[in-house]
Amino acid sequence: MSLGTKLSKQFVRHISDKASRFVPKSGVYPKGFVVGGIHSGVKKDGKTLDLALLQNTFGKDASAAAVFTTNKFKAAPVQVSSKILKEKKGQGINSIIVNSGNANAVTGVQGMKDAEDMVLVTDSVLENSQHSTFVMSTGVIGNNLPIDNILSGIPKLALNHLGSTHEHWINCANAICTTDTFPKLVTKQFRIDEDVYTLAGLCKGAGMICPNMATLLGFFVTDAPVSPQALQQILKHAVDRSFNSITVDGDMSTNDTIVAIANGAAGGEVIESNSSSSERYAKLQHEVTDFAQKLAQLVVRDGEGATKFITINVKDALSYKDAKEIASTVANSSLFKTAMYGKDANWGRILCAIGYSDVSQANSVIPDRTSVKFVPVDGSEHLKLLVNGEPEKVDEERASQILQDEDLIIEIDLGTGAGQEATFWTCDLTHEYVTINGDYRS
Amino acid sequence: MSLGTKLSKQFVRHISDKASRFVPKSGVYPKGFVVGGIHSGVKKDGKTLDLALLQNTFGKDASAAAVFTTNKFKAAPVQVSSKILKEKKGQGINSIIVNSGNANAVTGVQGMKDAEDMVLVTDSVLENSQHSTFVMSTGVIGNNLPIDNILSGIPKLALNHLGSTHEHWINCANAICTTDTFPKLVTKQFRIDEDVYTLAGLCKGAGMICPNMATLLGFFVTDAPVSPQALQQILKHAVDRSFNSITVDGDMSTNDTIVAIANGAAGGEVIESNSSSSERYAKLQHEVTDFAQKLAQLVVRDGEGATKFITINVKDALSYKDAKEIASTVANSSLFKTAMYGKDANWGRILCAIGYSDVSQANSVIPDRTSVKFVPVDGSEHLKLLVNGEPEKVDEERASQILQDEDLIIEIDLGTGAGQEATFWTCDLTHEYVTINGDYRS
């Protein structure tokens, strides 16, 4: 364990017993990457980790892919990273620099220069060729970065605090957090043919989370060999079904970015995009999607102020798009989310939200074919609430029992006969959410 | 004052000093209408007013108009009233029966029969011809009405508790409330040529308020003479710019209905729809729109848990539709609403919401032409936050001072050169909102 790790561990946020369930005690990490995190002086408390760095040390250029927010007011780092991805066509992006505590968003000309300088200094210190680094920022919007602190923090972090131990990864995950109550880190090993590959990823979330692109900040890396085109396709597929299928508060940030980097350090035949029908491609896509869902679900687990983790399954819709739109509308309804917080089986609010979804206006919802039920996660019997548009005589005691659980699955069957489905993950809307967001900047 | 009025006054909700500002102490009411409200046994406390009735007593058939929710799960009373409006073509609807405490929504076949029976009994007791009554319900979704209580309450209300005094109107306004903290009643007199006309209206709101049709329950009546077609056109125009331009929580109810009735009791030349270019028509439309805005604003004033009343003006947009969509997106952002609650000048969240509005994706928002400012309602100097995409050096003390006020105007200038604008009204998202909605049914 390096000195850096020891030092920074003291400054890591306190993680409650409840949240610590979601933080791995150990992990197997992909070959050829080092990471780390330090306090550089962005966050005002003078100690919490706020600068994270990842470097590909395999010695060969990595493939990179990214999805960015579609918000019109794109933060400076989003604009800069997006330009670099385009310029490099996903080839030869070997590091990621991230600060938390300030989003460098809506910061004018100075903001663009600051983001560019973060790339410049990182490339220089790591002896990369120019424009080999993605930059990300997260935190408050509208203030310029304390850029001197960051630029002097980068060499310190790069030279003394990088490594590949579990502690380094935890530090890195901590350093990108803002209102998160625990660092979000997932690792996974899988096999394609004879080759064993590893995925490691981290993200931050909590508030300003709503789909329609990468919905927060995160990246994951693998030692599998993948072409940039294949990696971009697989990332998009995975993000649609993970980070774009979660919500905390319906707000889409100016900074949302999810990055994937593959350095091929574990060897094997390169997975190409024109092999998209191949078994190796399909297997990797399956593994990355599953992995991205696990990572994205951690964001909902840590939704600002959340006490519940709710899965919304919409079944038998006319299309995947319809199913997802309806699931998303329910997942974003303030009334539904407060009812879940109150452990109130007020399923009328679910119906109400289905009824005003955009899709519903286009005749994809037929009230007298719609059914809704609670599915307890403990495997006990389902509780039917509505069957083909007619309300069931609900056993309120049983409903209340089911709602005591932290986890809940809500199944909405549209009965169209077309059989399409989608899943969305959300949390409840609580007093604590209001406390956190009513007092974010202080 | 009738016995009924005296009796029911005791059972009216307690109105706080803060809310009592919004409740008129007296009013001038249109000729030829009587109203009233009683407790019939829908609300479980056994005393709060929960049944309201309005009757046209002018002796000639009134003109009626209505706009209904676009929610796919239309409540039974919405379906029934909508059918009656169509059947009667707006002619000869002379009464309105409303219950609060139960929305009669998603209540299956029984729910439809209950709504029809409410119309039947009201028509019978008031000696109307068949289908002369609009029916409305508001409250919890998914439970059948205690219909016997309502059906035996209607004759009691109609025969002993109707009148035209201010107290009768206040009772009527109270009887349609659910989580409202004060009754919402507005009256207004105006002149068209030599004729003096009066408008009186009431509504209920508080939660499940979001535009895209009539967004809550309400009705207003006038003694002006208006044809049904003209009244429907004028109502739609007014509702677009009032009840469809407010939000509390972004949820659109299954029951939203706004009704207008004109009995012509004050005399004068009938205002026809083919006279829509005439001065009399224009004058009436102007007066009704202004009146509807006053009424709709009361709903925001009483937004569930609200501590702030926020006006969002979007200026210089490409179209009215664009301006309204952007104003609506900001008005519905949970992060913006919690920041306002926290009196936090976190204007980045305003930008963020502008940036993810649907319109914004279609290139109607040009970041470096967008400007945002706070406009204090006391007439003191504006506070510029963003000018042509560049953040201003904001005087945080001044910002915080402005945010102490209950009322705030936010002006968003899109700088497109096309000059279109729209106004939206919203409130903040507070701890109390979560408390109210986390525990609504108990």
Side-chain angles (χ1 to χ4, degrees), chain A residues 142-183:
Chain A
N143 296 337
N144 281 114
L145 290 174
I147 188 66
D148 291 344
N149 296 351
I150 293 178
L151 296 185
S152 60
I154 293 172
K156 190 177 142 202
L157 170 55
L159 301 176
N160 300 316
H161 299 269
L162 294 183
S164 57
T165 67
H166 179 65
E167 284 72 22
H168 284 99
W169 280 91
I170 288 282
N171 278 349
C172 188
N174 265 307
I176 70 170
C177 291
T178 55
T179 55
D180 305 67
T181 67
F182 61 87

Side-chain angles (χ1 to χ4, degrees), chain A residues 70-73 251-252 333 335 338 342 344 349 351-352 355-356 360-361 363 365 396 431 435 437-438 441, chain B residues 70-73 251-252 333 335 338 342 344 349 351-352 355-356 360-361 363 365 396 431 435 437-438 441:
Chain A
T70 57
N71 194 303
K72 197 79 180 184
F73 290 90
D251 279 275
M252 176 170 54
S333 157
L335 282 170
T338 46
D344 180 359
R349 295 180 180 175
L351 265 285
C352 180
Y356 66 71
S360 161
Q361 304 311 312
N363 294 317
V365 175
E396 293 280 346
H431 288 110
T435 300
N437 285 296
R441 298 195 313 170
Chain B
T70 58
N71 195 303
K72 197 78 181 183
F73 290 91
D251 279 276
M252 177 170 52
S333 158
L335 283 170
T338 46
D344 180 359
R349 295 181 180 175
L351 266 286
C352 180
Y356 68 71
S360 160
Q361 305 310 312
N363 294 317
V365 176
E396 293 281 347
H431 288 110
T435 299
N437 285 295
R441 299 195 315 168

Side-chain angles (χ1 to χ4, degrees), chain B residues 89-158:
Chain B
K89 299 192 176 71
Q91 192 72 50
I93 294 162
N94 290 303
S95 42
I96 306 172
I97 183 80
V98 192
N99 77 272
S100 57
N102 182 319
N104 192 13
V106 203
T107 43
V109 174
Q110 183 63 45
M112 285 299 289
K113 186 172 180 312
D114 291 347
E116 283 159 3
D117 285 353
M118 285 173 70
V119 171
L120 188 79
V121 170
T122 306
D123 282 338
S124 154
V125 170
L126 298 181
E127 301 179 18
N128 290 334
S129 57
Q130 261 208 329
H131 294 180
S132 298
T133 298
F134 279 142
V135 56
M136 307 181 185
S137 299
T138 176
V140 176
I141 300 178
N143 295 338
N144 280 115
L145 290 174
I147 188 66
D148 292 344
N149 296 351
I150 292 176
L151 297 185
S152 59
I154 293 172
K156 190 178 141 201
L157 170 55

Side-chain angles (χ1 to χ4, degrees), chain B residues 371-398:
Chain B
S371 302
V372 178
K373 60 184 171 187
F374 285 166
V375 180
V377 288
D378 62 6
S380 63
E381 214 189 333
H382 300 180
L383 183 71
K384 291 179 183 172
L385 302 166
L386 186 85
V387 176
N388 293 324
E390 286 281 332
E392 290 287 291
K393 193 133 193 74
V394 175
D395 177 346
E396 293 281 347
E397 206 166 310
R398 172 74 181 129

